[in-house]
Amino acid sequence: MTVPAGSSDLRRLHRRRLSNGLRVVLLPHWPTPRCAVSVHHATGFRSELPGQEGLAHLVEHLMFRGSESLPSGRFYDDLHPLGGTANGTTHADYTDYYQVVPAEALEQALFREADRLRAPAFTDGELATQLVEVGREIQVMRDSRLYGNLPWPGLPAVMFRSFANAHDGYGEVSRLADLTVDDCAAFFDAHYVPSGAVLTIVTPHAPEQVWPLVERHFGDLPARVGAASRDVAEPPPGEHRVAEQSVEGATRTAVALGYRLPDPRLALSEYAVHMVLARLTSRWRSGRAAVRASAGCGFFGPLDALTPDAFVVTSVLPDDLTPDDFVADLLAEWGRLGDSALDRDRVRRAARELSGEHRRQQAGLVDRCRALGRFELLFDRAELVEELPRLLSGTSAGQVARAAHLLAGEPRALLVAGPRAAARTTPAPAPAPVPPPGGGPLRTAAELGVTAAGPRVTPPLGEPVPPALGGAREVCLDNGLRVIAVPDHRAELAEIRLRVPLGPYGWESPDRVDFLLWALGAQTDAAGRAATLGGGLHLSQDGQWADLTGWVPVTRLAALMSVVGDVLNPGPLPPWRQLPVRRRVPPSPQQRMDEALRRRWARTEAAADPPVEMSVLHRHVFRPAGATLVVVAPADAVTVLATVAAPLVDWVGDAATPVAPGLRGDPELLVLREPGGGVVHLSLSGREPDEGSPEAARYLTTALLGGYTEARLVARCRRLGRADHVLLARRDVLAGHRRASVRLAVPREALGQAVADVRAEVGALIAEPPPVEEVEAVRRYCSAQLLSAFDSPAALADALRHTSAAGRGLHWLVRRPELLRAPRPEDLSAAAHDLFGALRHVVVLGAVPADLAAADLTG
């Protein structure tokens, strides 16, 4: 399969530099109904001076808390109702701020970014609040983690000697508390200048629509002279450096090993070679002990900082392996790399993986926007977003071997942390003399937050950009498999999603399905073969569905589908056995309650116990009837359909597999007793009727009751001071049935009151249609929030998998904004009756108060 000519037009960048020095990078005509805006400032924790550790991060937090035109948290007032998101991050050499909003809100996003660059409001109250928030972040990211100092910020203090490169960019809250709002204002004035920033916009709009908006909101920002750029250059070390730290509570020793990376400004291709070497190193296993290593370029990812930067290897060592032995084994492994056929295969696979992963990530709206801005700011080459995959793909085994041999001979830094490490802390960098800030005069916080013209008015919304699935096709194969193909040219990759309902046998025995998926993956080597193709393939199940999630360069889609065909039509499978307990995220309370209810329902319908023989279970679970395959790819849908259908036409299952179980109309109560804990989780659910209120009304009603920030259940808890109550409404499919449910997480003693709250709000919504203003607010939120499905090809494939599995048509995604305009307030009342009027199936996780009767819960 070939990529159609012309897809590169989507990647053509437009640039301007405004009169105040601000650089602007615009990627127009991006095929999505949303847009992304980012601003990258050339300041990070390497801009801090002694005594300012953590100041750059603190200022980033304050930048969200108000500006002259948007005081007191109003930054989010227009953002959240439109389902938009915003965030910021602080790095070594830059701080970035970004927003994702519906395309109609592009001007509002530009207005918000310009206003906080023009006149941010730093107040004592907000400073105190953000000191608490920063303290929590430091606790979570560094202090509460067992090896939270590895590799950052511990290893830089070993590798480097200058304060800029070696100090801890988090800082200590006790020292940050000494800073004033005027200190924060001085840092802003010295570093947040238009000439040191890059504004990046990725949007479906045409350039002639965007440039006037940029000039309107950023053109009159005054040009200012900021602090002189700090020279962070540092000669490489002349000898190995080692430091040790004792870690309280550690039972094993961890190591972080660092080498200098090539300067990507001068040797980008060599840098890419080191990225491939890092991937190979992460796959290495020491011959004398069971040890895993993790390697990467940069402390925060590749091409995220200027030189000097680090090639980092980390590992937690077994008791019988010393740090010196670990280093010796690693260097020996690097020394064995060469240009053999085996090494060529390993390098080719690693390079393809990295290239594909980069393309996949940068096909996302916000990731592309941020990468364009970062590459433009740091390297004056936003085009690296497209150039890097080609550099990675062209890496040879000889280049990797040479890089490894050279690296092995370089001076290294080693940080050892563990229970038996010497009680010697990492040497602190010597503070450098504090230079004058330079640039123009620095303002106080009070002066910073006002302009002569005064506050400005938030601009109105523009015209919405409707979502589209141009050229999409859907077919049903003779075996019952539903196949959806959608053209999407944002990446040279194909995304595939195959979703299969597990059926009663699978719903009743998720542990056997776990083994089945493991056996299929092992027997077919699905993940390894997909990686060799430059993609990925993952088999998973959530108790309700079995999912095959994959992606691959579009030219190799047929080869990936051959792997999928082997998974669906395997040879004899090994006998079932209980898999050992694996380290994985434990199931959520919601998942545990769903599994219990699903098993109960499935047991009522299955004619016999689930089969033990895996080949039989495979035929029952993997049935094309009821399954859906979604393919999003940069190619004509007809061509895609022909490519993916070929290996699937012979896929058959067991026609005698039981169908979805029938549900009794009687109330049922299932209590999963769990000792201890003051919080009880509860699910109130009922089957969703096939007839009655329209789909759009049901969608809005679920959000209005408990599906967004201003929902009625949320507002009730807020109004009655129940901040510790979590009440959420949702719709899904359970054991083959569409259902509506309300999930609760409340203090044990308040369980009865919380259930009464739910039934009261449901009853009120049924009895009286909501006001028009309330309906408009939830309609606006849902219409905008749903557009996030189009942010990337992967997100689009996920959304299509979800909506098709729920029984909705291909174009539900496209027509949702239009359909959501149709329901009237009385339609929402009718939908509330249909969905939530008979929540008869109740599952409780935890201890039920003794004074609560079953009828109090089941209604």
Side-chain angles (χ1 to χ4, degrees), residues 450-771:
V450 297
T451 63
R456 306 185 181 200
V457 178
T458 303
L461 294 174
E463 290 296 320
V465 175
L469 292 177
R473 297 287 296 271
E474 177 179 351
V475 299
C476 186
L477 303 184
D478 291 341
N479 57 10
L481 175 66
R482 182 183 182 190
V483 185
I484 298 171
V486 179
D488 190 306
H489 297 277
R490 286 176 285 182
E492 297 170 6
L493 301 171
E495 296 279 348
I496 70 165
R497 304 289 186 271
L498 177 65
R499 169 158 282 189
V500 182
L502 292 178
Y505 288 148
W507 295 328
E508 188 177 351
S509 298
D511 53 342
R512 295 186 185 180
V513 176
D514 272 340
F515 179 83
L516 172 62
L517 297 181
W518 174 85
L520 288 170
Q523 181 164 299
T524 63
D525 188 25
R529 291 163 66 189
T532 300
L533 298 172
L537 187 63
H538 180 61
L539 285 73
S540 64
Q541 63 105 358
D542 62 359
Q544 176 68 31
W545 314 95
D547 286 308
L548 275 72
T549 301
W551 56 274
V552 74
V554 66
T555 55
R556 297 177 178 270
L557 177 57
L560 182 65
M561 290 309 302
S562 177
V563 180
V564 173
D566 289 344
V567 171
L568 300 177
N569 294 288
L573 293 169
W576 177 72
R577 58 183 171 82
Q578 191 72 45
L579 288 174
V581 177
R582 292 174 292 175
R583 294 178 59 187
R584 60 180 181 181
V585 179
S588 67
Q590 173 183 313
Q591 290 171 323
R592 294 169 64 188
M593 291 188 293
D594 285 351
E595 180 177 324
L597 191 56
R598 189 186 298 116
R599 284 190 176 197
R600 171 179 283 196
W601 290 356
R603 183 69 264 173
T604 65
E605 188 70 21
D609 290 334
V612 175
E613 185 181 342
M614 287 296 100
S615 295
V616 176
L617 181 62
H618 180 278
R619 291 195 298 273
H620 281 299
V621 170
F622 283 93
R623 301 172 64 239
T628 301
L629 173 66
V630 176
V631 185
V632 178
D636 174 78
V638 174
T639 304
V640 170
L641 289 172
T643 301
V644 301
L648 303 180
V649 293
D650 295 329
W651 174 29
V652 295
D654 193 323
T657 299
V659 296
L663 296 185
R664 299 185 303 271
D666 300 332
E668 62 178 332
L669 174 63
L670 181 59
V671 179
L672 310 176
R673 302 194 182 278
E674 190 172 80
V679 175
V680 175
H681 298 270
L682 182 141
S683 169
L684 300 165
S685 62
R687 180 175 177 179
E688 185 175 331
D690 296 329
E691 304 295 333
S693 51
E695 170 63 28
R698 297 184 183 196
Y699 199 99
L700 291 176
T701 299
T702 305
L704 178 62
L705 179 64
Y708 85 120
T709 54
E710 300 302 320
R712 288 197 172 188
L713 291 175
V714 176
R716 184 184 185 95
C717 292
R718 189 164 54 230
R719 184 173 66 251
L720 298 178
R722 294 170 183 156
D724 53 355
H725 289 210
V726 178
L727 310 178
L728 300 172
R730 60 175 291 168
R731 297 163 67 212
D732 60 6
V733 176
L734 186 77
H737 295 286
R738 293 176 63 177
R739 67 162 181 172
S741 64
V742 178
R743 308 298 175 89
L744 297 80
V746 299
R748 178 174 178 268
E749 65 276 5
L751 181 59
Q753 181 59 64
V755 173
D757 284 343
V758 172
R759 300 201 184 278
E761 288 298 336
V762 170
L765 188 53
I766 293 173
E768 183 176 354

Side-chain angles (χ1 to χ4, degrees), residues 64-65 69-84 99 108 112 458 709-710 780:
F64 286 93
R65 305 316 306 166
S69 305
L70 300 167
S72 305
R74 276 191 52 204
F75 183 92
Y76 292 103
D77 287 352
D78 296 320
L79 185 72
H80 285 162
L82 291 174
Q99 300 179 55
Q108 289 188 353
R112 283 189 287 269
T458 303
T709 54
E710 300 302 320
R780 182 172 60 250

